[in-house]
């Protein structure tokens, strides 16, 4: 008759975990979301002085993608010349790609750098640092107007 207390304990633990799993975090107050949207609008309300600048938000394809000065080959040469393999990654023999997303603004400057998929061991921070060092890009165009574009870039880390 000893299995009965164990069964009761398991059932009680299961009920507790089920009740705990169904509790949800409270939603953010609407004011928080609204204030973030207002802040973003204020940042883009007074864009830099660029001729043929489009104030519309672009969703969809652009006719001319943003371009690193000198092209893609020059961009990868820049990355290769400035990339430093983090010591932690080198010691752990980590290799792979860090996928970074960033915004190429109307002026060609890089902003809003985020890691989409990282490796850890300091590689993510190094990828963000490299993208932050990049010179101004040639901005994207849509309907002959300069627009800001989100750009995704894989950065390769290798122990070789």
């Amino acid at each position: 008759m000893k299995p009965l207390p164990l069964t009761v304990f398991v059932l009680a633990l299961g009920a507790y975990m089920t009740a705990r799993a169904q509790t949800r975090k409270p939603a953010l107050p609407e004011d928080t979301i609204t204030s973030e949207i207002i802040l973003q609008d204020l940042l883009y309300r007074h864009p830099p002085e660029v001729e043929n600048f489009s104030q519309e938000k672009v969703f969809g394809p652009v006719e001319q993608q943003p371009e690193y000065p000198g092209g893609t080959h020059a961009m990868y040469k820049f990355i290769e010349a400035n990339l430093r393999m983090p010591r932690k990654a080198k010691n752990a023999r980590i290799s792979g790609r860090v996928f970074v997303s960033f915004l190429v603004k109307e002026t060609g400057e890089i902003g809003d750098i985020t890691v989409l998929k990282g490796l850890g061991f300091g590689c993510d921070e190094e990828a963000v640092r490299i993208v932050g060092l990049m010179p101004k890009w040639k901005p994207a165009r849509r309907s002959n107007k300069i627009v800001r574009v989100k750009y995704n870039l894989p950065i390769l880390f290798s122990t070789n």
Side-chain angles (χ1 to χ4, degrees):
M1 286 282 157
K2 290 188 179 186
L4 184 62
L6 181 61
T7 306
V8 171
F9 174 74
V10 170
L11 288 174
L13 180 64
Y16 171 76
M17 292 180 75
T18 303
R20 187 112 161 102
Q22 291 178 356
T23 58
R24 298 177 190 252
K25 293 181 181 178
L28 289 173
E30 289 184 27
D31 294 342
T32 305
I33 296 169
T34 305
S35 66
E36 289 176 5
I37 292 171
I38 290 171
L39 179 62
Q40 288 176 356
D41 287 344
L42 288 174
L43 290 174
Y44 293 112
R45 189 164 293 168
H46 301 290
E49 295 297 323
V50 178
E51 57 183 73
N52 292 333
F53 167 69
S54 171
Q55 295 207 7
E56 67 186 53
K57 291 188 178 183
V58 176
F59 298 100
V62 291
E63 293 158 0
Q64 182 182 357
Q65 289 290 330
E67 185 178 337
Y68 183 86
T72 306
H73 185 68
M75 176 181 62
Y76 281 111
K77 279 186 139 181
F78 171 83
I79 291 171
E80 184 180 344
N82 292 295
L83 186 71
R84 295 187 302 229
M85 186 71 169
R87 186 177 309 238
K88 289 180 192 176
K90 193 180 281 186
N91 291 341
R93 296 186 180 189
I94 297 295
S95 61
R97 288 185 177 91
V98 174
F99 291 88
V100 182
S101 175
F102 55 92
L103 189 68
V104 179
K105 299 179 182 178
E106 297 85 357
T107 59
E109 295 174 347
I110 303 295
D112 298 335
I113 305 167
T114 57
V115 175
L116 297 175
K117 183 181 176 196
L119 290 173
F121 296 90
C123 294
D124 305 349
E125 294 81 6
E126 179 63 12
V128 169
R129 185 188 74 81
I130 288 294
V131 171
L133 287 175
M134 287 185 178
K136 287 185 177 183
W137 286 42
K138 182 179 177 185
R141 289 184 169 271
R142 181 178 187 173
S143 301
N144 243 358
K145 294 181 181 177
I146 297 172
V147 293
R148 61 181 163 266
V149 173
K150 199 74 131 156
Y151 195 89
N152 297 332
L153 177 69
I155 299 178
L156 180 65
F157 287 87
S158 178
T159 54
N160 295 339

